[in-house]
Amino acid sequence: MIEISNTPAYDTEALQERVRELLGSRIVAERTYRGDLTIEVHVGSLLGMISALKKSAELDMNVVVSITAVHWPDEPLEYELVYHLRSLTRNLFLVVKTRVAREQAAPSLTDLYKTANWQEREVYDLMGVKFSGHPDLRRILLPEPYPWHPLRKEFPVEGPDFPIDAYQTDAAGKVVGDDFWDGAEEGKS
Amino acid sequence: MWSEAEVTETDDAGGEREMVLNIGPQHPSTHGVLRVIARISGEKIRTATCDVGYLHRGIEKLIENRLYYQGMTFTDRTDYTAAPAGNLGYILAVEKLLGIEEEIPDRTHYLRMVVMELARIYGHLVWIGTHALDIGAMSVFLYAFREREKISGLFEEGCGARLTTSYMRVGGTGRHDDPPGWLDHVMEFTENFTLDDFDTLLTDNEIFRARTIGVGRISAEDAISFGLTGACLRGSGVAWDLRKARPYCRYDEVDFEIPVGEDGDVYSRFMVRLNELYQAIGIIRQSVEKAYELRGEPTEIENAQVTMPQIERVTGWEPTGETGDMEAMIAHFKLVIEGYSPPPGDTYQGTESPKGELGFYFVSDGSGTPYRCHIRAPSFVNLSCLEQMVEGVLLADLVACIGSIDIVLGEVDR
């Protein structure tokens, strides 16, 4: 039987202090906005830190509510991964963010939370962020041969204006030219 | 991974014959366009793989390319069995992003709760009808849709639409969403609404119990690890409900209980949802009482940047000889063309929809359209546990398991 709590164990300031105590100098930046605490970490220390947040008895972040990504095409580290963590037993809510470059893989949380499996597949499918250590990183919403990741900012909202079979696949069945604009040039020529 | 060669019977090392069976996407008991690829041996499922996305419309991308008030119409089309639940999640998230959630009047909150709980009944009635139909209890479907029709009528009376309601507005309710006599009709509905039909037909039904008790077990630890929410989590014995834990609207002002199951099987989830229907009726009655008390109070905030001016002030109103007001016209024009621009920042707001935690994550860059909108769809996350839930169960129990998760493919695929 898992005892949940209907009153938050800490308010935002106290939560901030606990998180600081636990993670210390590994936090790159922190911000409280509209009552929610957000911490930013380096992608290298992400797995260790989320694992520490989960194992900590004081915070007990036992649920990943959502995993998503934000695309900032003009910045060197293009993808901002956003993890919303929640503790059912302590009734706490925390946002963890990290940044990865376009071809850089982020660590997968599948070993810690089973929900990460599908949610990371969704991020990979729609954004193109790869997760290292994921057991089954396939597309989930779009068909497997689909060449683009439509939530990237360069993808036009009305979709590409040329047929999908204008694209070449390699021997493994993988579409050549994963990038939308590279593909567009090939398709038009 | 599903090449033709594999879809045949094969002998494995143990001599047991195994075959791959494709279920869906066009099959009534997959509740929409869900496809399940089951590897079965005899009648036992060895492994099952879900294939979703047949209803993917790119709603997140569409919302990112529209003004905030335009994006709300898409939330009708995610969980289309309970559209106001999606509307409420969306507008609460936008209000949090704008930082105006403290200004919302009480009466608005209670009206929203009335509509939200009507939506919960509306959604659960689809579930109870189709779930029972899957298991072979035909008549429940008809009773459920008879009751559901009455709620459709209430929605139509309130906002003009029956299915895709777009009921609420950022900053309040729609101006005419509480027409004279509507609350009386809601009260009348709650007085006449009965669950006895379902109770007598299902709860103690021997066949139904045999098909559901002990089937599709999910332990509390697994439910938490899978991130399950809603009745799937509470059916496993975890009494987590955002309406109690992180109250929004005025849920902290009304009395209700959180039904919890014990076994985490299909029957527990059934009982949790059935009892939620009773609780929803109680919440509606209390909210209507409060809305009666607050009659005459405003239902919208006074903020020309967010809410539309009175239409009489914009166009003039002949019966009273009122002429149009230039300032109102400018405000109206700017709101329609440019919308409103929340300050740069990002917020997440979760609400307890009929399916579980429906969350909207918004990133604003200070412009009139969201830079990023992510919908944390409860059906999508809940469905991910199906593959584990059906391992080793009989093929006929697969439909009972799918039905008990209560998915809407519009929300899974978005």
Side-chain angles (χ1 to χ4, degrees), chain B residues 57-76:
Chain B
R57 294 149 293 176
I59 282 180
E60 290 176 9
K61 184 88 176 176
L62 290 169
I63 290 177
E64 283 165 25
N65 284 276
R66 273 159 181 78
L67 300 175
Y68 282 92
Y69 71 87
Q70 293 174 320
M72 196 185 71
T73 52
F74 294 105
T75 62
D76 295 330

Side-chain angles (χ1 to χ4, degrees), chain B residues 200-219:
Chain B
T200 47
L201 281 168
L202 294 176
T203 310
D204 294 324
N205 181 326
E206 207 171 308
I207 302 171
F208 185 77
R209 288 170 72 97
R211 288 291 307 277
T212 53
I213 291 177
V215 173
R217 276 226 165 95
I218 281 282
S219 68

Side-chain angles (χ1 to χ4, degrees), chain B residues 104-119:
Chain B
I104 306 296
D106 275 355
R107 183 173 158 80
T108 306
H109 280 307
Y110 287 116
L111 287 175
R112 284 176 180 177
M113 280 160 64
V114 171
V115 178
M116 174 70 207
E117 295 304 314
L118 280 175

Side-chain angles (χ1 to χ4, degrees), chain A residues 44-171:
Chain A
S45 57
L46 178 78
L47 198 59
M49 288 173 83
I50 289 187
S51 174
L53 286 167
K54 189 188 176 191
K55 286 185 184 121
S56 152
E58 279 188 327
L59 298 172
D60 191 25
M61 295 290 175
N62 50 4
V63 173
V64 175
V65 179
S66 95
I67 300 174
T68 187
V70 187
H71 189 205
W72 303 94
D74 300 333
E75 294 178 25
L77 296 174
E78 273 185 41
Y79 293 112
E80 186 179 42
L81 289 167
V82 186
Y83 299 85
H84 293 101
L85 306 181
R86 167 167 284 152
S87 165
L88 302 189
T89 52
R90 311 285 287 165
N91 197 351
L92 301 169
F93 185 75
L94 178 68
V95 189
V96 179
K97 289 184 181 177
T98 188
R99 291 235 176 200
V100 289
R102 190 162 189 126
E103 288 306 320
Q104 192 184 353
S108 169
L109 299 188
T110 39
D111 290 339
L112 295 171
Y113 305 96
K114 288 179 180 174
T115 181
N117 187 331
W118 276 35
Q119 298 207 29
E120 283 172 359
R121 276 176 71 188
E122 188 196 325
V123 174
Y124 163 69
D125 188 1
L126 301 177
M127 279 284 188
V129 182
K130 292 190 177 66
F131 291 90
S132 58
H134 192 289
D136 185 25
L137 197 64
R138 286 180 291 125
R139 283 182 181 271
I140 187 161
L141 294 175
L142 299 167
E144 197 58 46
Y146 195 73
W148 307 295
H149 300 287
L151 282 187
R152 286 181 180 171
K153 285 293 168 192
E154 69 265 23
F155 188 85
V157 66
E158 66 276 11
D161 59 349
F162 35 84
I164 188 170
D165 51 15
Y167 287 84
Q168 303 287 317
T169 51
D170 61 17

Side-chain angles (χ1 to χ4, degrees), chain B residues 103-256:
Chain B
E103 301 167 30
I104 306 296
D106 275 355
R107 183 173 158 80
T108 306
H109 280 307
Y110 287 116
L111 287 175
R112 284 176 180 177
M113 280 160 64
V114 171
V115 178
M116 174 70 207
E117 295 304 314
L118 280 175
R120 192 179 309 280
I121 299 173
Y122 199 58
H124 278 3
L125 284 175
V126 179
W127 158 80
I128 202 171
T130 51
H131 184 43
L133 194 62
D134 290 345
I135 295 176
M138 180 99 190
S139 44
V140 179
F141 184 78
L142 303 171
Y143 288 125
F145 273 69
R146 183 194 63 193
E147 294 300 317
R148 199 167 184 265
E149 185 58 31
K150 295 175 188 164
I151 306 181
S152 292
L154 287 174
F155 286 162
E156 190 178 9
E157 191 185 339
C159 71
R162 291 160 67 83
L163 193 71
T164 51
T165 52
S166 293
Y167 213 111
M168 301 141 196
R169 297 288 181 276
V170 173
T173 56
R175 188 155 294 113
H176 304 289
D177 283 357
D178 171 28
W182 183 72
L183 285 174
D184 299 334
H185 295 160
V186 173
M187 211 57 170
E188 206 176 300
F189 165 77
T190 61
E191 278 155 18
N192 296 332
F193 182 78
T194 172
L195 288 164
D196 293 349
D197 291 335
F198 314 116
D199 229 6
T200 47
L201 281 168
L202 294 176
T203 310
D204 294 324
N205 181 326
E206 207 171 308
I207 302 171
F208 185 77
R209 288 170 72 97
R211 288 291 307 277
T212 53
I213 291 177
V215 173
R217 276 226 165 95
I218 281 282
S219 68
E221 287 74 23
D222 272 348
I224 289 175
S225 182
F226 271 117
L228 303 190
T229 44
C232 295
L233 180 64
R234 294 192 283 273
S236 295
V238 185
W240 177 262
D241 190 314
L242 278 175
R243 292 173 295 170
K244 284 273 191 209
R246 294 274 167 142
Y248 50 92
C249 288
R250 290 289 177 268
Y251 277 107
D252 44 351
E253 305 273 322
V254 294
D255 285 329
F256 63 102

Side-chain angles (χ1 to χ4, degrees), chain B residues 1-2 6-10 17-25 30 34-51 386-387 390-399 402:
Chain B
M1 82 179 278
W2 307 298
E6 274 190 299
V7 192
T8 49
E9 288 193 31
T10 51
R17 289 165 76 77
E18 185 180 88
M19 71 176 273
V20 176
L21 182 70
N22 176 61
I23 302 156
T30 56
L34 168 68
R35 179 175 172 222
V36 180
I37 299 111
R39 199 173 281 275
I40 56 175
S41 156
E43 266 201 82
K44 272 220 154 66
I45 295 175
R46 286 194 173 171
T47 58
T49 314
C50 291
D51 186 12
L386 183 76
E387 292 172 0
V390 300
E391 252 172 53
V393 306
L394 296 177
L395 189 58
D397 292 336
L398 174 72
V399 291
I402 295 174

